[in-house]
């Protein structure tokens, strides 16, 4: 009995990569269940990327059984797949801190685990190129370790992945690409390449066809058995012609698969063989997103990146007042309203219709909705082509992912002054996804592009007006709004364009001026009210609304009246909204005799944590803004 209890002792508490290599297949299967339980329990409490992580547990165990993650280089694409890897490489005890302030990241990070996280990732499709660089570095350094890229089929919709494949096949270096094929990225994959990776050829129809052909060949008198042997020898060629093997072999890769990604014995056997092969190898592994957790298997899109939920039922948990619509929802609803009136409006997204609020648009206007897959550059130039022919394309995309299409915004849209509207969801601090996903650079990298109008709403009501303004403007526009629910501002029925470059003075004052943009306007108002209540200070608040064109006349008039000015934004200070105001005042010789302070994000990459925690740390919440005003006014009070 005691021996049986010892045998059933949880494996996870004693697991290290070295120990994994010593486990039997039966023990690995038991360990897979324990890893899944820990992932589900942790993500149910803190949110995270559940479905993709559950789908690769057996694949992760097989890789760690065959390869040494300390010596070998395993590069996980995106990182949504890497929770099991984190748990099994010395971070099981800290896994409960996942995505929390001061805890472990939701993505691989070299700084977090230099021994096992060999490359930091956040955006998709980088792993093949990075792994190829590591393979060349290995060979130039005279070393012998293995290099692997683990990439999902969703990431294979992006051009960067194929640039890496092309170079890797041409160089012929020893490396392995593991294609984790679950038929999804976040939403269902789109495009011809995703159809080519479809598993339908390996399904029942192909099996039935194969059996019928074998039966027919056997029935041929005298030569039937010989024909059957020849057909079986030709089977690999048949598969190569009609399956993804043809594609990857054309890139110079030796293709193996498809393989059941939940069969540990088969996975281990294949990787043992692959470890001794030379040249570029692609192993095609079929997995099920959300494997082992029924709610995630049933709804993998929802459980791709999920908030807190009841692990027993999968039901979402709601905290606080969630009755208000999110900024994302308000954008989607407003766009549908305008599209009913204007048949020229086309909605475009990059593999994220749910995340950008376009599901209703897709359902109502299917012929005017395009999901381009994880191809942000293509999305922008595609939109430019539509705009050149008289349409009004809307590109809805997360701020952090828009960075990938910078050149296309400059050359294909703004240089030609085409009426493409960019709607940047998740502008500012996004919270637990951390530095790869914070949308804190957009105001800076967009502001210096000629012809581009840039707006940021203070609340959901103003967002509706900015959607209308963008689609009424005969040129490129960008509207940037935050992640999360709105403030409960009443949504008007009427939609009228806003005058360009026109802000609003929300609060009068005489002691100092807060000039704010976007989602920092309401915290600035609250800070001003606190300062009056606690310090007797009268602080004015101006909502700029526009980063470009700036409300120049209003800002200059206010600068004449106030000697103390704070410029508040949830963007990096370098080159952002505050810089724009300072440049304006400098050009008018209005800096002298004034104390002007930028209240934004300093020259750092902001870590992961909740939005409220990060804003408190960066002094971008009500208390922090009020404290900054006191600090600026304190020297003057002593004079």
């Amino acid at each position: 009995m005691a021996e049986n209890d010892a045998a059933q002792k949880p494996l996870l508490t004693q697991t290290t990569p070295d120990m994994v290599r010593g486990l039997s297949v039966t023990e690995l299967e038991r360990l897979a269940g324990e890893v899944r339980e820990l992932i589900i329990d942790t993500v149910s409490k803190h949110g995270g990327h559940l479905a993709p992580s559950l789908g690769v547990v057996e694949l992760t165990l097989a890789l760690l059984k065959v390869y040494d993650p300390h010596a070998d280089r395993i590069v996980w694409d995106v990182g949504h797949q890497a929770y099991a890897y984190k748990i099994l490489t010395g971070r099981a005890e800290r896994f409960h801190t996942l995505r929390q302030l001061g805890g472990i990241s939701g993505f691989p990070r070299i700084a977090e685990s230099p021994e096992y996280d060999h490359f930091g990732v956040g955006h998709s499709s980088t792993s093949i190129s990075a792994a190829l660089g590591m393979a060349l570095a290995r060979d130039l350094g005279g070393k012998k370790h293995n290099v692997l890229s683990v990439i999902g089929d969703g990431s294979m919709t992006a051009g960067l992945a194929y640039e890496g494949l092309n170079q890797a096949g041409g160089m012929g270096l020893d490396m392995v690409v593991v294609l984790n094929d679950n038929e999804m990225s976040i939403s269902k994959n789109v495009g011809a390449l995703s159809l080519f990776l479809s598993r339908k050829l390996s399904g029942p129809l192909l099996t039935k066809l194969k059996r019928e052909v074998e039966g027919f060949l056997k029935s041929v008198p005298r030569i039937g058995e010989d024909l059957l042997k020849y057909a079986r020898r030709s089977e690999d060629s048949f598969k190569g012609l009609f399956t993804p093997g043809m594609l990857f072999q054309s890139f110079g890769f030796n293709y193996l698969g498809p393989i059941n990604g939940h069969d540990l014995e088969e996975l281990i056997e294949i990787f043992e063989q692959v470890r001794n092969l030379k040249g570029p190898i692609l192993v095609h592994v079929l997995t099920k997103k959300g494997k082992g957790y029924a709610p995630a298997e049933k709804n993998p899109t929802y459980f791709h990146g999920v908030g807190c939920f009841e692990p027993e039922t999968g039901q979402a948990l709601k905290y606080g007042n969630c009755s208000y619509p999110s900024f994302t929802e308000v954008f989607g609803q407003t766009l549908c309203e305008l599209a009913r009136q204007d048949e020229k409006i086309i909605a475009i997204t990059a593999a994220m219709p749910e995340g950008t609020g376009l599901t209703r648009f897709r359902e109502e206007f299917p012929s005017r909705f395009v999901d381009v897959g994880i191809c942000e550059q293509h999305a922008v130039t595609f939109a430019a082509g539509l705009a050149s022919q008289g349409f009004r394309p809307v590109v809805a995309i997360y701020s952090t992912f828009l960075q990938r299409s910078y050149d296309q915004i400059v050359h294909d849209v703004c240089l030609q002054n085409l009426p493409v509207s960019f709607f940047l969801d998740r502008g500012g601090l996004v919270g637990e996804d951390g530095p790869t996903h914070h949308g804190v650079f957009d105001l800076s990298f967009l502001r210096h592009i000629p012809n581009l109008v840039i707006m940021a709403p203070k609340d959901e009501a103003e967002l509706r007006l900015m959607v209308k303004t963008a689609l009424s403007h005969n040129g490129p526009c960008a509207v940037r709004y935050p992640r999360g629910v709105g403030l409960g501002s009443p949504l008007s029925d009427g939609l009228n364009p806003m005058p360009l470059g026109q802000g609003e003075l929300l609060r009068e004052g005489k002691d100092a001026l807060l000039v704010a943009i976007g989602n920092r306007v309401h915290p600035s108002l609250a800070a001003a009210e606190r300062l009056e209540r606690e310090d007797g200070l009268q602080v004015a608040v101006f909502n700029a609304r526009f980063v470009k064109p700036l409300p120049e006349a209003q800002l200059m008039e206010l600068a004449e009246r106030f000697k103390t000015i704070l410029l508040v934004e949830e963007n990096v200070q370098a080159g952002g909204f505050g810089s724009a105001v300072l440049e304006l005042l400098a050009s008018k010789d209005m800096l002298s005799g004034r104390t002007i302070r930028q209240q934004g994000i300093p020259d750092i990459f902001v870590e992961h944590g909740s939005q409220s925690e990060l804003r408190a740390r960066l002094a971008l919440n009500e208390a922090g803004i009020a404290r900054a005003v006191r600090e600026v006014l304190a020297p003057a009070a002593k004079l």
Side-chain angles (χ1 to χ4, degrees):
M1 186 73 176
E3 289 182 5
N4 186 59
D5 290 342
Q8 293 302 312
K9 182 178 179 181
L11 293 166
L12 195 54
T13 59
Q14 48 188 316
T15 300
T16 64
D18 290 337
M19 187 267 236
V20 169
R21 284 194 293 277
L23 295 177
S24 67
V25 170
T26 301
E27 289 170 324
L28 289 172
E29 288 171 347
R30 182 154 62 91
L31 180 57
E34 295 177 15
V35 169
R36 281 196 171 91
E37 287 178 7
L38 179 57
I39 292 174
I40 293 168
D41 179 66
T42 302
V43 176
S44 72
K45 295 173 181 174
H46 306 304
H49 294 96
L50 182 66
S53 296
L54 295 178
V56 295
V57 173
E58 286 84 6
L59 173 58
T60 306
L61 286 167
L63 288 171
L64 294 178
K65 172 73 174 176
V66 176
Y67 295 96
D68 177 1
H70 179 258
D72 296 324
R73 302 292 185 258
I74 302 176
V75 182
W76 294 89
D77 202 275
V78 183
H80 298 158
Q81 314 168 85
Y83 286 6
Y85 183 77
K86 284 176 177 280
I87 291 169
L88 296 167
T89 53
R91 285 165 276 185
E93 292 186 357
R94 294 190 63 217
F95 195 69
H96 68 280
T97 69
L98 180 73
R99 303 170 78 244
Q100 297 179 77
L101 189 66
I104 64 174
S105 170
F107 301 90
R109 294 186 66 188
I110 295 174
E112 179 180 293
S113 181
E115 188 176 10
Y116 298 118
D117 288 0
H118 302 297
F119 197 77
V121 295
H123 292 185
S124 80
S125 315
T126 61
S127 62
I128 298 175
S129 297
L132 178 60
M134 293 178 182
L136 179 59
R138 173 201 60 201
D139 293 352
L140 292 175
K143 298 179 181 179
K144 299 295 183 183
H145 56 263
N146 299 284
V147 177
L148 300 92
S149 154
V150 186
I151 184 168
D153 57 317
S155 293
M156 291 296 290
T157 64
L160 178 59
Y162 292 90
E163 293 175 24
L165 281 175
N166 184 55
Q167 186 69 42
M171 295 180 73
L173 304 182
D174 296 343
M175 64 177 289
V176 178
V177 174
V178 181
L179 172 57
N180 169 33
D181 181 359
N182 58 32
E183 294 189 306
M184 296 188 72
S185 47
I186 296 174
S187 306
K188 278 286 184 181
N189 290 328
V190 297
L193 285 169
S194 75
L195 294 176
F196 195 65
L197 290 176
S198 170
R199 305 174 202 173
K200 292 177 183 177
L201 269 171
S202 60
L205 287 176
L206 185 61
T207 302
K208 181 181 178 184
L209 175 62
K210 179 182 174 184
R211 288 174 180 169
E212 289 176 352
V213 170
E214 287 181 350
F216 169 75
L217 293 175
K218 282 182 181 179
S219 69
V220 177
R222 293 190 301 276
I223 63 170
E225 287 297 328
D226 291 335
L227 287 174
L228 182 59
K229 288 178 182 177
Y230 178 79
R232 284 173 174 165
R233 285 198 302 269
S234 303
E235 186 175 355
D236 287 341
S237 297
F238 176 79
K239 286 182 178 178
L241 181 62
F242 291 103
T243 68
M246 179 181 69
L247 171 65
F248 298 116
Q249 286 169 9
S250 71
F251 277 103
F253 276 73
N254 185 6
Y255 172 85
L256 299 174
I259 299 159
N260 181 353
H262 302 295
D263 186 331
L264 271 164
E265 195 164 359
E266 184 180 9
L267 285 167
I268 292 168
E269 181 181 349
I270 290 294
F271 285 127
E272 289 283 7
Q273 296 172 13
V274 166
R275 188 174 59 178
N276 298 315
L277 297 178
K278 295 295 182 182
I281 313 292
L282 188 135
V283 182
H284 187 179
V285 179
L286 305 181
T287 62
K288 185 173 182 61
K289 204 168 185 180
K291 176 71 173 177
Y293 183 55
E297 289 187 25
K298 185 177 180 181
N299 191 354
T301 298
Y302 174 77
F303 281 97
H304 173 86
V306 67
C308 301
F309 62 93
E310 295 177 348
E312 296 79 13
T313 64
Q315 292 295 312
L317 298 177
K318 294 186 177 181
Y319 299 99
N321 189 347
C322 294
S323 60
Y324 301 141
S326 68
F327 281 88
T328 302
E329 291 168 335
V330 170
F331 159 71
Q333 293 165 4
T334 307
L335 188 64
C336 285
E337 288 180 38
L338 296 175
R340 293 182 197 116
Q341 304 165 19
D342 186 352
E343 294 182 352
K344 296 292 187 180
I345 294 175
I346 309 288
I348 303 165
T349 189
M352 301 191 74
E354 289 84 7
T356 55
L358 291 178
T359 50
R360 180 184 295 186
F361 192 102
R362 178 180 60 189
E363 294 164 1
E364 190 171 345
F365 311 102
S367 65
R368 291 194 274 150
F369 169 81
V370 182
D371 183 349
V372 300
I374 306 177
C375 303
E376 295 86 359
Q377 294 167 286
H378 163 62
V380 173
T381 303
F382 173 60
L386 280 165
S388 72
Q389 302 303 303
F391 283 85
R392 297 304 304 245
V394 166
V395 179
I397 199 164
Y398 286 9
S399 168
T400 183
F401 299 131
L402 191 71
Q403 295 165 184
R404 291 186 154 198
S405 56
Y406 174 79
D407 183 69
Q408 287 69 35
I409 297 170
V410 174
H411 285 183
D412 300 331
V413 175
C414 293
L415 179 61
Q416 303 183 90
N417 200 28
L418 293 171
V420 176
S421 297
F422 300 99
F423 288 89
L424 281 60
D425 204 320
R426 271 66 166 175
L429 298 167
V430 299
E432 292 83 355
D433 280 340
T436 59
H437 282 60
H438 293 313
V440 297
F441 303 106
D442 49 19
L443 299 185
S444 299
F445 73 74
L446 292 175
R447 185 174 69 83
H448 59 247
I449 305 175
N451 294 332
L452 183 62
V453 170
I454 307 172
M455 298 172 268
K458 71 177 187 296
D459 54 30
E460 62 269 43
E462 203 163 74
L463 173 59
R464 279 175 55 81
L465 300 179
M466 290 184 177
V467 175
K468 176 65 174 178
T469 303
L471 288 166
S472 301
H473 177 62
N474 192 29
C477 282
V479 181
R480 183 244 213 185
Y481 46 96
R483 175 189 182 187
V485 298
L487 305 175
S489 301
L491 303 179
S492 62
D493 293 330
L495 285 173
N496 296 307
M498 303 170 67
L500 297 186
Q502 186 74 32
E504 58 176 348
L505 185 64
L506 298 174
R507 193 178 197 277
E508 272 290 0
K510 61 181 180 61
D511 296 308
L513 169 67
L514 288 169
V515 179
I517 190 75
N519 68 337
R520 292 304 87 195
V521 171
H522 279 285
S524 296
L525 273 171
E529 291 165 3
R530 172 185 285 209
L531 288 165
E532 182 171 17
R533 185 173 63 250
E534 297 179 0
D535 302 81
L537 295 172
Q538 295 182 27
V539 178
V541 179
F542 181 71
N543 170 25
R545 286 179 171 164
F546 290 85
V547 177
K548 187 176 182 181
L550 281 172
E552 293 190 6
Q554 292 170 298
L555 287 170
M556 289 171 59
E557 188 274 329
L558 289 167
E560 290 282 1
R561 293 169 49 197
F562 291 92
K563 301 301 181 183
T564 301
I565 303 172
L566 269 75
L567 309 171
V568 189
E569 63 186 312
E570 198 167 282
N571 187 80
V572 293
Q573 294 177 8
F577 167 71
S579 294
V581 177
L582 286 171
E583 290 165 15
L584 169 67
L585 297 179
S587 70
K588 306 297 182 181
D589 293 326
M590 298 184 69
L591 294 179
S592 179
R594 292 174 177 80
T595 301
I596 304 176
R597 175 170 172 173
Q598 287 181 268
Q599 196 73 6
I601 296 171
D603 190 24
I604 61 171
F605 286 107
V606 180
E607 294 300 314
H608 58 273
S610 70
Q611 288 174 299
S612 60
E613 289 172 327
L614 297 177
R615 286 165 182 153
R617 176 172 284 191
L618 294 166
L620 287 174
N621 60 356
E622 173 191 332
I625 296 169
R627 184 168 63 251
V629 173
R630 292 187 183 107
E631 290 171 358
V632 173
L633 289 175
K638 294 177 181 178
L639 297 177

